[in-house]
Amino acid sequence: MSCKPITFKNVPPDVFKCMKKKLQDTGIHVPPGNRGELSGSGVEADFEWDGKSHLTITITEKPFIVSCGAVAGKIKGFVKECHGS
């Protein structure tokens, strides 16, 4: 069961790069490039970044006991941590 896509605006290259690194540092596999599948900790998600500022992440798999909102909140936290860093 997929969750509703999460769309971020104002995600410049430095923020995108920072977010990918933070996800990798927590054990999430992030492929190179601007699109692909994130996976780790029982969560899988597709991501696509336009190379400028728009990022869309769609959670495609998650543990049954974890809500879409909880996973989305964690992902939003990584983006927020990277803004201004």
Side-chain angles (χ1 to χ4, degrees):
M1 177 196 128
S2 291
C3 300
K4 188 172 98 175
I6 310 160
T7 303
F8 300 94
K9 296 177 182 169
N10 190 25
V11 180
D14 59 329
V15 172
F16 183 67
K17 184 178 177 182
C18 169
M19 184 187 141
K20 285 178 76 172
K21 181 173 180 351
K22 285 191 177 286
L23 286 167
Q24 289 170 332
D25 288 349
T26 61
I28 305 292
H29 169 73
V30 182
N34 294 350
R35 67 177 64 198
E37 183 180 87
L38 308 169
S39 61
S41 301
V43 174
E44 292 180 11
D46 294 325
F47 74 94
E48 184 172 348
W49 181 60
D50 68 0
K52 296 176 187 161
S53 66
H54 287 82
L55 172 64
T56 302
I57 299 174
T58 304
I59 300 158
T60 56
E61 294 285 331
K62 63 175 186 58
F64 177 74
I65 59 170
V66 179
S67 70
C68 288
V71 177
K74 194 78 167 164
I75 293 170
K76 288 176 184 177
F78 284 114
V79 175
K80 190 174 183 179
E81 283 178 33
C82 289
H83 266 282
S85 61

